[in-house]
Structure formats: structure tokens, C-alpha cells
PDB file of all heavy atoms in Angstrom:
ATOM      1  N   LEU A   1       0.825  -1.210   0.000  1.00 96.00           N
ATOM      2  CA  LEU A   1       0.000   0.000   0.000  1.00 96.00           C
ATOM      3  C   LEU A   1       0.863   1.265   0.000  1.00 96.00           C
ATOM      4  O   LEU A   1       0.452   2.304  -0.504  1.00 96.00           O
ATOM      5  CB  LEU A   1      -0.941  -0.002   1.208  1.00 96.00           C
ATOM      6  CG  LEU A   1      -2.143  -0.943   1.110  1.00 96.00           C
ATOM      7  CD1 LEU A   1      -2.882  -1.014   2.449  1.00 96.00           C
ATOM      8  CD2 LEU A   1      -3.094  -0.511  -0.001  1.00 96.00           C
ATOM      9  N   MET A   2       2.063   1.157   0.570  1.00 95.00           N
ATOM     10  CA  MET A   2       2.993   2.295   0.538  1.00 95.00           C
ATOM     11  C   MET A   2       3.337   2.644  -0.902  1.00 95.00           C
ATOM     12  O   MET A   2       3.396   3.818  -1.280  1.00 95.00           O
ATOM     13  CB  MET A   2       4.253   1.960   1.334  1.00 95.00           C
ATOM     14  CG  MET A   2       5.316   3.058   1.309  1.00 95.00           C
ATOM     15  SD  MET A   2       6.509   2.880  -0.044  1.00 95.00           S
ATOM     16  CE  MET A   2       7.466   1.491   0.530  1.00 95.00           C
ATOM     17  N   LEU A   3       3.573   1.623  -1.729  1.00 95.00           N
ATOM     18  CA  LEU A   3       3.886   1.864  -3.134  1.00 95.00           C
ATOM     19  C   LEU A   3       2.714   2.542  -3.840  1.00 95.00           C
ATOM     20  O   LEU A   3       2.900   3.476  -4.628  1.00 95.00           O
ATOM     21  CB  LEU A   3       4.231   0.539  -3.820  1.00 95.00           C
ATOM     22  CG  LEU A   3       5.477  -0.195  -3.306  1.00 95.00           C
ATOM     23  CD1 LEU A   3       5.625  -1.539  -4.017  1.00 95.00           C
ATOM     24  CD2 LEU A   3       6.726   0.655  -3.514  1.00 95.00           C
ATOM     25  N   LEU A   4       1.497   2.082  -3.551  1.00 96.00           N
ATOM     26  CA  LEU A   4       0.311   2.687  -4.150  1.00 96.00           C
ATOM     27  C   LEU A   4       0.143   4.121  -3.670  1.00 96.00           C
ATOM     28  O   LEU A   4      -0.183   5.030  -4.456  1.00 96.00           O
ATOM     29  CB  LEU A   4      -0.924   1.858  -3.791  1.00 96.00           C
ATOM     30  CG  LEU A   4      -2.276   2.416  -4.263  1.00 96.00           C
ATOM     31  CD1 LEU A   4      -2.306   2.542  -5.777  1.00 96.00           C
ATOM     32  CD2 LEU A   4      -3.416   1.523  -3.767  1.00 96.00           C
ATOM     33  N   ASN A   5       0.397   4.332  -2.388  1.00 95.00           N
ATOM     34  CA  ASN A   5       0.253   5.650  -1.788  1.00 95.00           C
ATOM     35  C   ASN A   5       1.151   6.676  -2.469  1.00 95.00           C
ATOM     36  O   ASN A   5       0.694   7.735  -2.930  1.00 95.00           O
ATOM     37  CB  ASN A   5       0.584   5.546  -0.292  1.00 95.00           C
ATOM     38  CG  ASN A   5       0.407   6.850   0.441  1.00 95.00           C
ATOM     39  OD1 ASN A   5      -0.171   7.798  -0.067  1.00 95.00           O
ATOM     40  ND2 ASN A   5       0.938   6.902   1.655  1.00 95.00           N
ATOM     41  N   TRP A   6       2.450   6.377  -2.542  1.00 95.00           N
ATOM     42  CA  TRP A   6       3.372   7.321  -3.147  1.00 95.00           C
ATOM     43  C   TRP A   6       3.223   7.366  -4.665  1.00 95.00           C
ATOM     44  O   TRP A   6       3.531   8.379  -5.307  1.00 95.00           O
ATOM     45  CB  TRP A   6       4.805   6.996  -2.756  1.00 95.00           C
ATOM     46  CG  TRP A   6       5.093   7.389  -1.343  1.00 95.00           C
ATOM     47  CD1 TRP A   6       5.330   6.569  -0.279  1.00 95.00           C
ATOM     48  CD2 TRP A   6       5.128   8.725  -0.817  1.00 95.00           C
ATOM     49  NE1 TRP A   6       5.521   7.298   0.872  1.00 95.00           N
ATOM     50  CE2 TRP A   6       5.399   8.627   0.570  1.00 95.00           C
ATOM     51  CE3 TRP A   6       4.950   9.984  -1.381  1.00 95.00           C
ATOM     52  CZ2 TRP A   6       5.502   9.742   1.389  1.00 95.00           C
ATOM     53  CZ3 TRP A   6       5.058  11.103  -0.567  1.00 95.00           C
ATOM     54  CH2 TRP A   6       5.324  10.971   0.804  1.00 95.00           C
ATOM     55  N   GLY A   7       2.730   6.279  -5.255  1.00 95.00           N
ATOM     56  CA  GLY A   7       2.437   6.298  -6.689  1.00 95.00           C
ATOM     57  C   GLY A   7       1.352   7.324  -7.011  1.00 95.00           C
ATOM     58  O   GLY A   7       1.440   8.048  -8.013  1.00 95.00           O
ATOM     59  N   LEU A   8       0.350   7.400  -6.146  1.00 95.00           N
ATOM     60  CA  LEU A   8      -0.708   8.396  -6.327  1.00 95.00           C
ATOM     61  C   LEU A   8      -0.172   9.813  -6.143  1.00 95.00           C
ATOM     62  O   LEU A   8      -0.580  10.737  -6.847  1.00 95.00           O
ATOM     63  CB  LEU A   8      -1.840   8.140  -5.325  1.00 95.00           C
ATOM     64  CG  LEU A   8      -2.771   6.980  -5.650  1.00 95.00           C
ATOM     65  CD1 LEU A   8      -3.680   6.687  -4.464  1.00 95.00           C
ATOM     66  CD2 LEU A   8      -3.601   7.282  -6.893  1.00 95.00           C
ATOM     67  N   GLU A   9       0.764   9.986  -5.205  1.00 94.00           N
ATOM     68  CA  GLU A   9       1.356  11.310  -4.998  1.00 94.00           C
ATOM     69  C   GLU A   9       2.174  11.732  -6.211  1.00 94.00           C
ATOM     70  O   GLU A   9       2.143  12.907  -6.618  1.00 94.00           O
ATOM     71  CB  GLU A   9       2.229  11.302  -3.744  1.00 94.00           C
ATOM     72  CG  GLU A   9       2.893  12.629  -3.431  1.00 94.00           C
ATOM     73  CD  GLU A   9       1.926  13.759  -3.179  1.00 94.00           C
ATOM     74  OE1 GLU A   9       0.757  13.484  -2.830  1.00 94.00           O
ATOM     75  OE2 GLU A   9       2.325  14.927  -3.328  1.00 94.00           O
ATOM     76  N   VAL A  10       2.919  10.790  -6.796  1.00 94.00           N
ATOM     77  CA  VAL A  10       3.678  11.085  -8.015  1.00 94.00           C
ATOM     78  C   VAL A  10       2.728  11.490  -9.141  1.00 94.00           C
ATOM     79  O   VAL A  10       2.966  12.468  -9.862  1.00 94.00           O
ATOM     80  CB  VAL A  10       4.519   9.864  -8.439  1.00 94.00           C
ATOM     81  CG1 VAL A  10       5.102  10.072  -9.841  1.00 94.00           C
ATOM     82  CG2 VAL A  10       5.642   9.613  -7.445  1.00 94.00           C
ATOM     83  N   TYR A  11       1.632  10.716  -9.276  1.00 95.00           N
ATOM     84  CA  TYR A  11       0.656  11.029 -10.320  1.00 95.00           C
ATOM     85  C   TYR A  11       0.064  12.404 -10.102  1.00 95.00           C
ATOM     86  O   TYR A  11      -0.055  13.201 -11.047  1.00 95.00           O
ATOM     87  CB  TYR A  11      -0.464   9.982 -10.319  1.00 95.00           C
ATOM     88  CG  TYR A  11      -1.633  10.349 -11.211  1.00 95.00           C
ATOM     89  CD1 TYR A  11      -1.558  10.175 -12.590  1.00 95.00           C
ATOM     90  CD2 TYR A  11      -2.797  10.891 -10.669  1.00 95.00           C
ATOM     91  CE1 TYR A  11      -2.624  10.529 -13.414  1.00 95.00           C
ATOM     92  CE2 TYR A  11      -3.865  11.248 -11.475  1.00 95.00           C
ATOM     93  CZ  TYR A  11      -3.769  11.059 -12.850  1.00 95.00           C
ATOM     94  OH  TYR A  11      -4.832  11.417 -13.660  1.00 95.00           O
ATOM     95  N   LYS A  12      -0.309  12.744  -8.878  1.00 93.00           N
ATOM     96  CA  LYS A  12      -0.913  14.041  -8.563  1.00 93.00           C
ATOM     97  C   LYS A  12       0.055  15.174  -8.877  1.00 93.00           C
ATOM     98  O   LYS A  12      -0.327  16.172  -9.505  1.00 93.00           O
ATOM     99  CB  LYS A  12      -1.318  14.068  -7.086  1.00 93.00           C
ATOM    100  CG  LYS A  12      -1.984  15.350  -6.643  1.00 93.00           C
ATOM    101  CD  LYS A  12      -2.549  15.219  -5.232  1.00 93.00           C
ATOM    102  CE  LYS A  12      -1.473  15.077  -4.189  1.00 93.00           C
ATOM    103  NZ  LYS A  12      -2.016  15.108  -2.806  1.00 93.00           N
ATOM    104  N   TRP A  13       1.298  15.025  -8.433  1.00 92.00           N
ATOM    105  CA  TRP A  13       2.307  16.052  -8.660  1.00 92.00           C
ATOM    106  C   TRP A  13       2.564  16.249 -10.155  1.00 92.00           C
ATOM    107  O   TRP A  13       2.601  17.377 -10.653  1.00 92.00           O
ATOM    108  CB  TRP A  13       3.594  15.677  -7.935  1.00 92.00           C
ATOM    109  CG  TRP A  13       4.814  16.463  -8.290  1.00 92.00           C
ATOM    110  CD1 TRP A  13       5.946  16.005  -8.889  1.00 92.00           C
ATOM    111  CD2 TRP A  13       5.045  17.869  -8.065  1.00 92.00           C
ATOM    112  NE1 TRP A  13       6.866  17.009  -9.044  1.00 92.00           N
ATOM    113  CE2 TRP A  13       6.333  18.179  -8.546  1.00 92.00           C
ATOM    114  CE3 TRP A  13       4.285  18.894  -7.503  1.00 92.00           C
ATOM    115  CZ2 TRP A  13       6.882  19.445  -8.497  1.00 92.00           C
ATOM    116  CZ3 TRP A  13       4.835  20.175  -7.450  1.00 92.00           C
ATOM    117  CH2 TRP A  13       6.111  20.436  -7.934  1.00 92.00           C
ATOM    118  N   ARG A  14       2.711  15.158 -10.893  1.00 92.00           N
ATOM    119  CA  ARG A  14       3.023  15.257 -12.326  1.00 92.00           C
ATOM    120  C   ARG A  14       1.829  15.795 -13.115  1.00 92.00           C
ATOM    121  O   ARG A  14       1.988  16.612 -14.020  1.00 92.00           O
ATOM    122  CB  ARG A  14       3.428  13.885 -12.865  1.00 92.00           C
ATOM    123  CG  ARG A  14       3.853  13.915 -14.344  1.00 92.00           C
ATOM    124  CD  ARG A  14       4.517  12.625 -14.770  1.00 92.00           C
ATOM    125  NE  ARG A  14       5.050  12.743 -16.109  1.00 92.00           N
ATOM    126  CZ  ARG A  14       4.442  12.256 -17.203  1.00 92.00           C
ATOM    127  NH1 ARG A  14       3.286  11.613 -17.079  1.00 92.00           N
ATOM    128  NH2 ARG A  14       4.984  12.403 -18.390  1.00 92.00           N
ATOM    129  N   TYR A  15       0.632  15.351 -12.771  1.00 92.00           N
ATOM    130  CA  TYR A  15      -0.570  15.769 -13.503  1.00 92.00           C
ATOM    131  C   TYR A  15      -0.716  17.287 -13.490  1.00 92.00           C
ATOM    132  O   TYR A  15      -0.980  17.909 -14.527  1.00 92.00           O
ATOM    133  CB  TYR A  15      -1.801  15.118 -12.886  1.00 92.00           C
ATOM    134  CG  TYR A  15      -3.106  15.569 -13.506  1.00 92.00           C
ATOM    135  CD1 TYR A  15      -3.585  14.982 -14.676  1.00 92.00           C
ATOM    136  CD2 TYR A  15      -3.853  16.603 -12.925  1.00 92.00           C
ATOM    137  CE1 TYR A  15      -4.782  15.397 -15.249  1.00 92.00           C
ATOM    138  CE2 TYR A  15      -5.045  17.026 -13.492  1.00 92.00           C
ATOM    139  CZ  TYR A  15      -5.503  16.420 -14.651  1.00 92.00           C
ATOM    140  OH  TYR A  15      -6.686  16.845 -15.215  1.00 92.00           O
ATOM    141  N   PHE A  16      -0.527  17.904 -12.319  1.00 89.00           N
ATOM    142  CA  PHE A  16      -0.717  19.345 -12.227  1.00 89.00           C
ATOM    143  C   PHE A  16       0.533  20.114 -12.646  1.00 89.00           C
ATOM    144  O   PHE A  16       0.438  21.249 -13.130  1.00 89.00           O
ATOM    145  CB  PHE A  16      -1.145  19.727 -10.807  1.00 89.00           C
ATOM    146  CG  PHE A  16      -2.554  19.282 -10.487  1.00 89.00           C
ATOM    147  CD1 PHE A  16      -2.793  18.107  -9.808  1.00 89.00           C
ATOM    148  CD2 PHE A  16      -3.625  20.038 -10.910  1.00 89.00           C
ATOM    149  CE1 PHE A  16      -4.086  17.688  -9.538  1.00 89.00           C
ATOM    150  CE2 PHE A  16      -4.929  19.643 -10.647  1.00 89.00           C
ATOM    151  CZ  PHE A  16      -5.157  18.456  -9.966  1.00 89.00           C
ATOM    152  N   THR A  17       1.705  19.519 -12.519  1.00 90.00           N
ATOM    153  CA  THR A  17       2.932  20.176 -12.964  1.00 90.00           C
ATOM    154  C   THR A  17       2.977  20.275 -14.491  1.00 90.00           C
ATOM    155  O   THR A  17       3.525  21.228 -15.044  1.00 90.00           O
ATOM    156  CB  THR A  17       4.168  19.417 -12.450  1.00 90.00           C
ATOM    157  OG1 THR A  17       4.120  19.338 -11.023  1.00 90.00           O
ATOM    158  CG2 THR A  17       5.455  20.134 -12.837  1.00 90.00           C
ATOM    159  N   LEU A  18       2.383  19.287 -15.168  1.00 90.00           N
ATOM    160  CA  LEU A  18       2.363  19.308 -16.629  1.00 90.00           C
ATOM    161  C   LEU A  18       1.600  20.508 -17.179  1.00 90.00           C
ATOM    162  O   LEU A  18       1.745  20.852 -18.354  1.00 90.00           O
ATOM    163  CB  LEU A  18       1.732  18.016 -17.168  1.00 90.00           C
ATOM    164  CG  LEU A  18       2.602  16.758 -17.084  1.00 90.00           C
ATOM    165  CD1 LEU A  18       1.823  15.534 -17.551  1.00 90.00           C
ATOM    166  CD2 LEU A  18       3.874  16.921 -17.919  1.00 90.00           C
ATOM    167  N   LYS A  19       0.834  21.166 -16.359  1.00 87.00           N
ATOM    168  CA  LYS A  19       0.118  22.364 -16.791  1.00 87.00           C
ATOM    169  C   LYS A  19       1.058  23.548 -16.977  1.00 87.00           C
ATOM    170  O   LYS A  19       0.699  24.541 -17.627  1.00 87.00           O
ATOM    171  CB  LYS A  19      -0.984  22.711 -15.784  1.00 87.00           C
ATOM    172  CG  LYS A  19      -2.111  21.678 -15.711  1.00 87.00           C
ATOM    173  CD  LYS A  19      -3.147  22.060 -14.681  1.00 87.00           C
ATOM    174  CE  LYS A  19      -4.269  21.033 -14.618  1.00 87.00           C
ATOM    175  NZ  LYS A  19      -5.090  21.011 -15.852  1.00 87.00           N
ATOM    176  N   ILE A  20       2.261  23.470 -16.396  1.00 87.00           N
ATOM    177  CA  ILE A  20       3.222  24.562 -16.537  1.00 87.00           C
ATOM    178  C   ILE A  20       4.532  24.118 -17.185  1.00 87.00           C
ATOM    179  O   ILE A  20       5.243  24.937 -17.761  1.00 87.00           O
ATOM    180  CB  ILE A  20       3.549  25.205 -15.168  1.00 87.00           C
ATOM    181  CG1 ILE A  20       4.166  24.171 -14.219  1.00 87.00           C
ATOM    182  CG2 ILE A  20       2.326  25.848 -14.555  1.00 87.00           C
ATOM    183  CD1 ILE A  20       4.749  24.773 -12.954  1.00 87.00           C
ATOM    184  N   GLN A  21       4.859  22.816 -17.099  1.00 89.00           N
ATOM    185  CA  GLN A  21       6.140  22.336 -17.632  1.00 89.00           C
ATOM    186  C   GLN A  21       6.079  20.826 -17.825  1.00 89.00           C
ATOM    187  O   GLN A  21       5.487  20.108 -17.010  1.00 89.00           O
ATOM    188  CB  GLN A  21       7.269  22.680 -16.655  1.00 89.00           C
ATOM    189  CG  GLN A  21       8.623  22.097 -17.015  1.00 89.00           C
ATOM    190  CD  GLN A  21       9.685  22.357 -15.967  1.00 89.00           C
ATOM    191  OE1 GLN A  21       9.776  23.465 -15.429  1.00 89.00           O
ATOM    192  NE2 GLN A  21      10.493  21.367 -15.648  1.00 89.00           N
ATOM    193  N   TYR A  22       6.708  20.360 -18.906  1.00 91.00           N
ATOM    194  CA  TYR A  22       6.765  18.913 -19.114  1.00 91.00           C
ATOM    195  C   TYR A  22       7.741  18.288 -18.120  1.00 91.00           C
ATOM    196  O   TYR A  22       8.856  18.776 -17.925  1.00 91.00           O
ATOM    197  CB  TYR A  22       7.219  18.584 -20.545  1.00 91.00           C
ATOM    198  CG  TYR A  22       7.337  17.086 -20.762  1.00 91.00           C
ATOM    199  CD1 TYR A  22       6.204  16.298 -20.912  1.00 91.00           C
ATOM    200  CD2 TYR A  22       8.587  16.470 -20.785  1.00 91.00           C
ATOM    201  CE1 TYR A  22       6.302  14.927 -21.088  1.00 91.00           C
ATOM    202  CE2 TYR A  22       8.698  15.102 -20.961  1.00 91.00           C
ATOM    203  CZ  TYR A  22       7.549  14.339 -21.108  1.00 91.00           C
ATOM    204  OH  TYR A  22       7.656  12.979 -21.268  1.00 91.00           O
ATOM    205  N   LEU A  23       7.296  17.231 -17.485  1.00 90.00           N
ATOM    206  CA  LEU A  23       8.122  16.521 -16.512  1.00 90.00           C
ATOM    207  C   LEU A  23       7.957  15.028 -16.766  1.00 90.00           C
ATOM    208  O   LEU A  23       6.832  14.514 -16.777  1.00 90.00           O
ATOM    209  CB  LEU A  23       7.663  16.868 -15.084  1.00 90.00           C
ATOM    210  CG  LEU A  23       8.657  16.644 -13.933  1.00 90.00           C
ATOM    211  CD1 LEU A  23       9.877  17.538 -14.105  1.00 90.00           C
ATOM    212  CD2 LEU A  23       7.990  16.932 -12.590  1.00 90.00           C
ATOM    213  N   THR A  24       9.062  14.346 -17.017  1.00 92.00           N
ATOM    214  CA  THR A  24       8.982  12.915 -17.282  1.00 92.00           C
ATOM    215  C   THR A  24       8.527  12.168 -16.033  1.00 92.00           C
ATOM    216  O   THR A  24       8.630  12.684 -14.904  1.00 92.00           O
ATOM    217  CB  THR A  24      10.340  12.351 -17.732  1.00 92.00           C
ATOM    218  OG1 THR A  24      11.265  12.436 -16.629  1.00 92.00           O
ATOM    219  CG2 THR A  24      10.896  13.122 -18.924  1.00 92.00           C
ATOM    220  N   LEU A  25       8.033  10.975 -16.232  1.00 93.00           N
ATOM    221  CA  LEU A  25       7.599  10.164 -15.098  1.00 93.00           C
ATOM    222  C   LEU A  25       8.778   9.870 -14.175  1.00 93.00           C
ATOM    223  O   LEU A  25       8.647   9.917 -12.941  1.00 93.00           O
ATOM    224  CB  LEU A  25       6.979   8.850 -15.591  1.00 93.00           C
ATOM    225  CG  LEU A  25       6.517   7.866 -14.501  1.00 93.00           C
ATOM    226  CD1 LEU A  25       5.471   8.503 -13.602  1.00 93.00           C
ATOM    227  CD2 LEU A  25       5.985   6.583 -15.138  1.00 93.00           C
ATOM    228  N   THR A  26       9.946   9.607 -14.766  1.00 91.00           N
ATOM    229  CA  THR A  26      11.146   9.328 -13.962  1.00 91.00           C
ATOM    230  C   THR A  26      11.521  10.523 -13.099  1.00 91.00           C
ATOM    231  O   THR A  26      11.810  10.381 -11.907  1.00 91.00           O
ATOM    232  CB  THR A  26      12.335   8.964 -14.871  1.00 91.00           C
ATOM    233  OG1 THR A  26      12.001   7.795 -15.624  1.00 91.00           O
ATOM    234  CG2 THR A  26      13.575   8.678 -14.043  1.00 91.00           C
ATOM    235  N   ASP A  27      11.514  11.707 -13.697  1.00 91.00           N
ATOM    236  CA  ASP A  27      11.844  12.910 -12.933  1.00 91.00           C
ATOM    237  C   ASP A  27      10.787  13.198 -11.865  1.00 91.00           C
ATOM    238  O   ASP A  27      11.103  13.718 -10.787  1.00 91.00           O
ATOM    239  CB  ASP A  27      11.980  14.117 -13.864  1.00 91.00           C
ATOM    240  CG  ASP A  27      13.310  14.137 -14.594  1.00 91.00           C
ATOM    241  OD1 ASP A  27      14.195  13.330 -14.238  1.00 91.00           O
ATOM    242  OD2 ASP A  27      13.480  14.944 -15.527  1.00 91.00           O
ATOM    243  N   SER A  28       9.543  12.881 -12.158  1.00 92.00           N
ATOM    244  CA  SER A  28       8.473  13.076 -11.169  1.00 92.00           C
ATOM    245  C   SER A  28       8.706  12.187  -9.950  1.00 92.00           C
ATOM    246  O   SER A  28       8.563  12.630  -8.809  1.00 92.00           O
ATOM    247  CB  SER A  28       7.113  12.762 -11.797  1.00 92.00           C
ATOM    248  OG  SER A  28       6.837  13.615 -12.879  1.00 92.00           O
ATOM    249  N   ILE A  29       9.082  10.939 -10.208  1.00 93.00           N
ATOM    250  CA  ILE A  29       9.357  10.004  -9.109  1.00 93.00           C
ATOM    251  C   ILE A  29      10.549  10.487  -8.289  1.00 93.00           C
ATOM    252  O   ILE A  29      10.521  10.500  -7.053  1.00 93.00           O
ATOM    253  CB  ILE A  29       9.621   8.582  -9.658  1.00 93.00           C
ATOM    254  CG1 ILE A  29       8.354   8.025 -10.311  1.00 93.00           C
ATOM    255  CG2 ILE A  29      10.103   7.656  -8.542  1.00 93.00           C
ATOM    256  CD1 ILE A  29       8.566   6.712 -11.033  1.00 93.00           C
ATOM    257  N   LYS A  30      11.607  10.907  -8.996  1.00 91.00           N
ATOM    258  CA  LYS A  30      12.808  11.375  -8.292  1.00 91.00           C
ATOM    259  C   LYS A  30      12.512  12.613  -7.449  1.00 91.00           C
ATOM    260  O   LYS A  30      12.995  12.735  -6.319  1.00 91.00           O
ATOM    261  CB  LYS A  30      13.910  11.689  -9.308  1.00 91.00           C
ATOM    262  CG  LYS A  30      14.526  10.458  -9.964  1.00 91.00           C
ATOM    263  CD  LYS A  30      15.610  10.851 -10.947  1.00 91.00           C
ATOM    264  CE  LYS A  30      16.262   9.620 -11.563  1.00 91.00           C
ATOM    265  NZ  LYS A  30      17.319   9.985 -12.540  1.00 91.00           N
ATOM    266  N   SER A  31      11.745  13.550  -7.990  1.00 91.00           N
ATOM    267  CA  SER A  31      11.456  14.785  -7.255  1.00 91.00           C
ATOM    268  C   SER A  31      10.653  14.500  -5.995  1.00 91.00           C
ATOM    269  O   SER A  31      10.888  15.110  -4.948  1.00 91.00           O
ATOM    270  CB  SER A  31      10.702  15.767  -8.153  1.00 91.00           C
ATOM    271  OG  SER A  31       9.427  15.269  -8.513  1.00 91.00           O
ATOM    272  N   VAL A  32       9.715  13.557  -6.072  1.00 92.00           N
ATOM    273  CA  VAL A  32       8.923  13.197  -4.894  1.00 92.00           C
ATOM    274  C   VAL A  32       9.809  12.521  -3.845  1.00 92.00           C
ATOM    275  O   VAL A  32       9.708  12.818  -2.644  1.00 92.00           O
ATOM    276  CB  VAL A  32       7.740  12.287  -5.286  1.00 92.00           C
ATOM    277  CG1 VAL A  32       7.066  11.700  -4.043  1.00 92.00           C
ATOM    278  CG2 VAL A  32       6.715  13.063  -6.096  1.00 92.00           C
ATOM    279  N   LEU A  33      10.693  11.621  -4.285  1.00 92.00           N
ATOM    280  CA  LEU A  33      11.578  10.923  -3.349  1.00 92.00           C
ATOM    281  C   LEU A  33      12.542  11.900  -2.663  1.00 92.00           C
ATOM    282  O   LEU A  33      12.770  11.814  -1.448  1.00 92.00           O
ATOM    283  CB  LEU A  33      12.381   9.842  -4.087  1.00 92.00           C
ATOM    284  CG  LEU A  33      11.583   8.604  -4.524  1.00 92.00           C
ATOM    285  CD1 LEU A  33      12.471   7.675  -5.359  1.00 92.00           C
ATOM    286  CD2 LEU A  33      11.036   7.848  -3.321  1.00 92.00           C
ATOM    287  N   ILE A  34      13.101  12.833  -3.431  1.00 91.00           N
ATOM    288  CA  ILE A  34      14.000  13.829  -2.832  1.00 91.00           C
ATOM    289  C   ILE A  34      13.222  14.721  -1.870  1.00 91.00           C
ATOM    290  O   ILE A  34      13.720  15.115  -0.811  1.00 91.00           O
ATOM    291  CB  ILE A  34      14.680  14.668  -3.930  1.00 91.00           C
ATOM    292  CG1 ILE A  34      15.618  13.770  -4.754  1.00 91.00           C
ATOM    293  CG2 ILE A  34      15.475  15.825  -3.331  1.00 91.00           C
ATOM    294  CD1 ILE A  34      16.217  14.457  -5.955  1.00 91.00           C
ATOM    295  N   GLY A  35      11.984  15.015  -2.231  1.00 89.00           N
ATOM    296  CA  GLY A  35      11.142  15.805  -1.343  1.00 89.00           C
ATOM    297  C   GLY A  35      10.899  15.115  -0.013  1.00 89.00           C
ATOM    298  O   GLY A  35      10.858  15.759   1.044  1.00 89.00           O
ATOM    299  N   ILE A  36      10.762  13.792  -0.041  1.00 89.00           N
ATOM    300  CA  ILE A  36      10.573  13.034   1.196  1.00 89.00           C
ATOM    301  C   ILE A  36      11.798  13.181   2.095  1.00 89.00           C
ATOM    302  O   ILE A  36      11.681  13.395   3.307  1.00 89.00           O
ATOM    303  CB  ILE A  36      10.321  11.539   0.885  1.00 89.00           C
ATOM    304  CG1 ILE A  36       9.001  11.374   0.133  1.00 89.00           C
ATOM    305  CG2 ILE A  36      10.290  10.722   2.185  1.00 89.00           C
ATOM    306  CD1 ILE A  36       8.752   9.968  -0.370  1.00 89.00           C
ATOM    307  N   VAL A  37      12.984  13.078   1.494  1.00 88.00           N
ATOM    308  CA  VAL A  37      14.229  13.222   2.266  1.00 88.00           C
ATOM    309  C   VAL A  37      14.298  14.605   2.901  1.00 88.00           C
ATOM    310  O   VAL A  37      14.563  14.749   4.104  1.00 88.00           O
ATOM    311  CB  VAL A  37      15.464  13.000   1.368  1.00 88.00           C
ATOM    312  CG1 VAL A  37      16.746  13.238   2.166  1.00 88.00           C
ATOM    313  CG2 VAL A  37      15.454  11.593   0.792  1.00 88.00           C
ATOM    314  N   ALA A  38      14.047  15.642   2.091  1.00 84.00           N
ATOM    315  CA  ALA A  38      14.105  17.013   2.600  1.00 84.00           C
ATOM    316  C   ALA A  38      13.038  17.249   3.662  1.00 84.00           C
ATOM    317  O   ALA A  38      13.255  17.989   4.621  1.00 84.00           O
ATOM    318  CB  ALA A  38      13.933  18.004   1.447  1.00 84.00           C
ATOM    319  N   GLY A  39      11.889  16.596   3.498  1.00 82.00           N
ATOM    320  CA  GLY A  39      10.807  16.774   4.446  1.00 82.00           C
ATOM    321  C   GLY A  39      11.108  16.203   5.816  1.00 82.00           C
ATOM    322  O   GLY A  39      10.704  16.753   6.843  1.00 82.00           O
TER     323      GLY A  39
END
């Protein structure tokens, strides 16, 4: 369920970010993971 949970967060972040800039799925995953570390 953790994988599903963060998968949904990646989808949410990428879906709305694409409205201002193209972001690959790989970069979306990396940005969320780095955000977790910083958080």
C-alpha cells in the first residue's frame, strides 16, 4: 500500500505540474523521493 500511496502522490504532482512544464515520469518520481528526504 505504501507503493500505491506514493504512486498516487507522483501522479498528482506530475498531472498538475504538466500544466506549466513537461516533466517525465522518472523525474516526477525522483522529485517526490527527494522531497521526502528534505521533508
